[in-house]
Amino acid sequence: MKVLILGGGQLARMLVLAAAPLGIRCQLVDPAAESCAAELAPWHRIPWQALPERDDLLEWADVITFESESVPAEVLAALAARRPVYPSPQVLAKGGDRWLEKQWLQGLGIPVADHRSVQSLAELQTAVAELGCPAFLKWRQQGYDGKGQWRLHEASDLAEIWRQAEGRPAILEAGVAFEREVSLVASRNTRGEIRCYPLTQNLHRNGILICSEPQAADPLQAEAEGYARTLLETEQYVGTLAIEFFVCEGRLIANEVAPRVHNSGHWTLEGAQTSQFANHLRAICGWPLGETTLIAPTAMLNLIGRWPAEPAALAEAGAHLHLYGKAPRPGRKVGHLTLRQPDQEQLTRQRQRLQQWLEETGALPAP
Amino acid sequence: MKVLILGGGQLARMLVLAAAPLGIRCQLVDPAAESCAAELAPWHRIPWQALPERDDLLEWADVITFESESVPAEVLAALAARRPVYPSPQVLAKGGDRWLEKQWLQGLGIPVADHRSVQSLAELQTAVAELGCPAFLKWRQQGYDGKGQWRLHEASDLAEIWRQAEGRPAILEAGVAFEREVSLVASRNTRGEIRCYPLTQNLHRNGILICSEPQAADPLQAEAEGYARTLLETEQYVGTLAIEFFVCEGRLIANEVAPRVHNSGHWTLEGAQTSQFANHLRAICGWPLGETTLIAPTAMLNLIGRWPAEPAALAEAGAHLHLYGKAPRPGRKVGHLTLRQPDQEQLTRQRQRLQQWLEETGALPAP
């Protein structure tokens, strides 16, 4: 099989690494100035709009997929007329816009936080009055890792925040007093087979994921899987996705859907029988999905801004380093560590110790 | 770190896949007409003799390693004068010649089978008379996977066999009535740290490895590790190696040493905390080695000649496919399956079932 991947970042890189053992060849398209996946597969640096004219690439590809939500909808639609595009452009359109996403999830019976559409300062003021504080103003499109998001409290200067938001279409979301944040990663193949990974508990700091830990028997697993199956089956979704939830008074409130492999699923590389990357590829190639069971207690720590590069860290038993080949830069995800231990207690101790060490060495933001 | 790999076959391919997450970049040199690793790293198709003149590659590389014994000794020596070459050219010279290898192992106190140097038909006749039958005639250099090897019995036509062997320098080895075949894979880094994997039991057919299975607590583990440590420390060896043994009356007789990652260590990809490929790279980069412990009962089945490519096989729980991107050809290793199961009984059942299925579909030679 030959897969054309739209996007050339770390998710594409890990897809390429998972593709090789399955005998799948990949090529990459990304208009960005650099691609950390290009080390491992041919990279075509062209504007998205030029791609539908590239008959050579479209004829080469058996299937097209993407690693980021930044591909313009009209480009995806043009590609889908020529070759299978998985997940479908329709899903990307909904998942890539926070307002459409909320309506979509509500329509599927999946609970979401109270929210309002905001297209002007006046609408922002009204929405804040209705939903109260704390609340979050978020761009409808293109925000990620805390960018394009503002936390509003009673004393916030709404005019100033609206100015910072550049007047872009946005939504206001009521703050949810959550007990914890979890996500469900799941895959569905072209034949309708579905596999869900264990629910993963996540810790964010300044809007950036710090740590993920799959839960062996989360009491909310069945509820989360029910929502995921509804979404996957209704949309005839093909590929891997992640749904992020808040846990509030013991129930799930969906925060957002990522129609792609997801940072909170990186632990599957060593922690699950089959990684989220391998299952995404199996799904879009129409092959049986692999098992999603947890093979041992596992956690993932992101490396943000830099990797301390101390070889001593490699001596950590059960720690697995995944660097993305990216130059260090503040706030940038440059890699992650997965930790796999025979028992939960050892894992918790190691995670706490390494998290502290990464904070001290500047590879994680301090608490 | 930047690693120049000499050879571009499946071992190089799996080294490249293990290098990426460690932030190591690779380039490949191989004069062969094709390279299945070239899909994942830049490939320089030049004669070995041209490599010492390639200042660009030598200046680029932090360290040089090899995946096959076919690199000429004088080329390796020239490279070693410019950059670290691991394992050392001295080791390759010994390991790549069956006669020198036997003398070397004996000198280290490692038992080997009775053997004679054979350089003429007359020497062959004398050697057979001394060692008896069965015995094996093997080229001193370049034989592998059963090529360049002849099994001699009482009725063998020695003149005809010597003709088939093209009169090349060879050795005659006494046949060993072995109970089983095992191998030890071990790594040593530039700082002298050594890690040994669990002893692996191997099944060969027509001289080609069919199946490997690491043994959780083999009674010969300590004896094998003792021999490996002697060799690694005496040679100041850097990298991963494999020593193949016959087990004869409960004791180990060394058959051969492979100064590189080895087919009988492929199970480490899913079965060990750290793969033999990752540990080879850590060793030559001077980094701490990773744990070599078995994480669950594991076995490896080679795919020889072809991969049946039935997607149904991907539905096998606990089976992990590793294709090498090579065109099918009789007798050619095109990939392997690693099987990982929660308990030994499930593993044995699955291995037997899949081995039979592979034999039926022509991906393994029939018994």
Side-chain angles (χ1 to χ4, degrees):
Chain A
M1 293 288 282
K2 297 190 280 295
V3 174
L4 189 65
I5 302 175
L6 311 185
Q10 66 262 30
L11 301 179
R13 179 177 164 107
M14 288 185 273
L15 284 169
V16 172
L17 289 171
L22 295 170
I24 298 169
R25 299 191 71 135
C26 299
Q27 295 199 61
L28 312 165
V29 175
D30 196 325
E34 53 190 349
S35 161
C36 69
E39 205 177 304
L40 298 161
W43 168 34
H44 305 276
R45 189 181 172 206
I46 55 173
W48 293 126
Q49 282 71 15
L51 180 55
E53 308 303 319
R54 286 293 297 268
D55 289 344
D56 58 330
L57 294 178
L58 297 183
E59 277 159 25
W60 175 86
D62 294 310
V63 56
I64 299 172
T65 191
F66 48 85
E67 62 130 32
S68 92
E69 288 96 327
S70 68
V71 188
E74 68 278 11
V75 171
L76 274 189
L79 300 178
R82 303 275 301 275
R83 279 286 182 270
V85 174
Y86 297 128
S88 74
Q90 291 75 16
V91 169
L92 182 63
K94 292 173 185 169
D97 179 302
R98 291 180 189 280
W99 173 256
L100 295 180
E101 188 180 44
K102 289 274 192 291
Q103 312 317 305
W104 174 40
L105 294 173
Q106 280 188 313
L108 294 168
I110 302 174
V112 297
D114 263 358
H115 56 279
R116 297 288 184 279
S117 170
V118 171
Q119 310 223 38
S120 67
L121 177 57
E123 282 186 358
L124 175 60
Q125 288 162 335
T126 307
V128 170
E130 286 177 12
L131 297 184
C133 281
F136 293 86
L137 182 72
K138 298 179 178 179
W139 284 342
R140 281 176 58 164
Q141 294 183 315
Q142 294 186 332
Y144 66 95
D145 285 352
K147 287 175 201 156
Q149 300 194 4
W150 293 264
R151 186 175 196 279
L152 308 190
H153 47 84
E154 301 295 347
S156 291
D157 178 345
L158 297 184
E160 166 58 19
I161 285 169
W162 188 244
R163 195 190 59 75
Q164 287 176 17
E166 301 165 16
R168 290 207 217 177
I171 66 168
L172 190 75
E173 280 180 27
V176 170
F178 59 83
E179 293 116 47
R180 55 195 181 108
E181 293 176 275
V182 297
S183 59
L184 191 82
V185 174
S187 306
R188 181 181 176 278
N189 70 11
T190 53
R191 296 184 274 179
E193 186 193 359
I194 291 174
R195 299 264 191 168
C196 299
Y197 287 92
L199 205 55
T200 298
Q201 189 161 317
N202 301 315
L203 173 68
H204 290 85
R205 201 167 277 164
N206 310 327
I208 302 181
L209 184 65
I210 299 295
C211 174
S212 288
E213 193 171 322
Q215 308 293 297
D218 198 291
L220 295 171
Q221 182 77 30
E223 187 182 337
E225 285 197 19
Y227 294 145
R229 284 175 185 274
T230 298
L231 190 159
L232 292 166
E233 285 171 355
T234 306
E235 298 295 336
Q236 299 280 294
Y237 187 97
V238 174
T240 293
L241 61 61
I243 311 179
E244 291 187 277
F245 298 98
F246 299 119
V247 179
C248 196
E249 297 177 357
R251 302 302 301 272
L252 297 169
I253 295 176
N255 179 32
E256 62 181 69
V257 176
R260 52 171 171 79
V261 290
H262 191 255
N263 196 167
S264 71
H266 289 1
W267 65 266
T268 61
L269 283 166
E270 275 89 18
Q273 274 284 6
T274 316
S275 79
Q276 64 166 350
F277 305 100
N279 262 344
H280 182 71
L281 293 161
R282 287 167 174 244
I284 67 175
C285 290
W287 295 340
L289 300 177
E291 279 182 303
T292 50
T293 43
L294 190 61
I295 61 173
T298 301
M300 191 259 353
L301 286 167
N302 268 336
L303 303 172
I304 297 174
R306 62 186 293 267
W307 159 241
E310 289 185 32
L314 289 171
E316 280 285 333
H320 298 267
L321 177 63
H322 296 268
L323 292 178
Y324 305 152
K326 292 161 77 174
R329 187 190 300 165
R332 191 182 214 198
K333 291 175 182 168
V334 298
H336 70 270
L337 287 172
T338 47
L339 315 178
R340 182 174 61 190
Q341 291 293 344
D343 66 61
Q344 184 62 44
E345 199 186 322
Q346 275 178 275
L347 177 70
T348 303
R349 275 204 308 272
Q350 186 181 45
R351 180 184 53 69
Q352 289 169 343
R353 186 165 43 78
L354 287 181
Q355 186 173 329
Q356 191 182 344
W357 174 72
L358 292 172
E359 285 164 5
E360 286 166 5
T361 53
L364 271 181
Chain B
M1 291 289 281
K2 297 191 281 295
V3 174
L4 190 65
I5 302 175
L6 310 184
Q10 66 262 27
L11 301 179
R13 180 178 165 106
M14 290 185 272
L15 284 169
V16 173
L17 289 171
L22 295 171
I24 297 169
R25 300 191 71 135
C26 299
Q27 294 199 61
L28 311 165
V29 175
D30 196 325
E34 51 190 350
S35 161
C36 69
E39 206 178 304
L40 298 161
W43 169 34
H44 305 276
R45 189 182 171 207
I46 54 173
W48 292 127
Q49 283 71 14
L51 180 56
E53 307 303 319
R54 286 292 298 266
D55 289 344
D56 57 331
L57 294 177
L58 297 182
E59 278 159 25
W60 175 86
D62 294 310
V63 55
I64 299 172
T65 190
F66 49 85
E67 61 131 33
S68 93
E69 287 96 326
S70 68
V71 187
E74 68 278 13
V75 171
L76 274 189
L79 300 177
R82 302 275 301 275
R83 279 286 182 268
V85 174
Y86 298 128
S88 74
Q90 292 73 14
V91 169
L92 182 63
K94 292 173 186 169
D97 179 301
R98 291 180 189 280
W99 173 257
L100 295 181
E101 188 179 42
K102 288 274 192 293
Q103 312 318 305
W104 174 39
L105 294 173
Q106 280 188 313
L108 293 168
I110 302 174
V112 297
D114 262 0
H115 57 279
R116 298 288 184 276
S117 171
V118 171
Q119 310 222 38
S120 67
L121 176 58
E123 283 186 358
L124 175 60
Q125 289 161 333
T126 308
V128 170
E130 286 178 11
L131 297 183
C133 282
F136 294 85
L137 181 71
K138 300 180 178 180
W139 283 341
R140 282 177 59 163
Q141 294 183 316
Q142 294 187 333
Y144 65 95
D145 286 353
K147 287 174 200 157
Q149 301 194 2
W150 294 265
R151 187 175 195 280
L152 308 190
H153 46 83
E154 301 295 346
S156 291
D157 178 344
L158 297 185
E160 166 59 18
I161 285 169
W162 187 244
R163 196 191 57 74
Q164 287 176 20
E166 301 164 15
R168 290 207 217 178
I171 66 168
L172 189 76
E173 280 181 26
V176 171
F178 59 83
E179 294 116 45
R180 54 194 182 108
E181 293 176 276
V182 297
S183 59
L184 190 82
V185 174
S187 306
R188 181 180 176 278
N189 71 11
T190 52
R191 294 185 275 179
E193 186 192 0
I194 291 174
R195 299 264 193 169
C196 299
Y197 287 93
L199 206 55
T200 298
Q201 189 160 317
N202 301 314
L203 173 67
H204 290 85
R205 201 168 275 165
N206 310 326
I208 302 182
L209 183 65
I210 299 294
C211 174
S212 287
E213 194 170 321
Q215 308 294 297
D218 199 292
L220 295 171
Q221 182 77 31
E223 187 182 337
E225 285 196 19
Y227 294 144
R229 284 175 186 275
T230 298
L231 190 159
L232 292 166
E233 285 170 356
T234 306
E235 297 296 336
Q236 299 280 296
Y237 188 96
V238 174
T240 292
L241 61 61
I243 311 179
E244 292 187 275
F245 299 97
F246 300 119
V247 178
C248 196
E249 297 177 356
R251 299 303 301 272
L252 297 169
I253 295 176
N255 179 30
E256 60 181 69
V257 176
R260 53 171 169 78
V261 289
H262 190 257
N263 196 167
S264 71
H266 289 1
W267 65 265
T268 61
L269 282 166
E270 274 89 17
Q273 274 285 6
T274 315
S275 79
Q276 65 167 347
F277 305 99
N279 262 345
H280 182 70
L281 293 161
R282 287 167 175 244
I284 66 175
C285 290
W287 295 340
L289 300 177
E291 280 181 304
T292 49
T293 44
L294 191 61
I295 62 173
T298 300
M300 191 258 355
L301 286 167
N302 268 337
L303 303 172
I304 296 173
R306 62 187 291 269
W307 159 239
E310 289 184 31
L314 288 171
E316 281 285 333
H320 298 267
L321 177 63
H322 296 269
L323 293 178
Y324 306 151
K326 291 161 78 173
R329 187 189 300 165
R332 190 181 215 198
K333 290 175 183 169
V334 298
H336 71 269
L337 287 172
T338 45
L339 314 178
R340 182 175 60 192
Q341 292 293 342
D343 66 61
Q344 184 61 44
E345 199 186 324
Q346 275 178 276
L347 177 71
T348 303
R349 276 203 308 272
Q350 186 181 46
R351 180 183 52 70
Q352 289 170 342
R353 187 165 43 76
L354 288 181
Q355 187 173 330
Q356 191 181 346
W357 174 73
L358 291 172
E359 285 164 5
E360 286 165 5
T361 53
L364 270 182

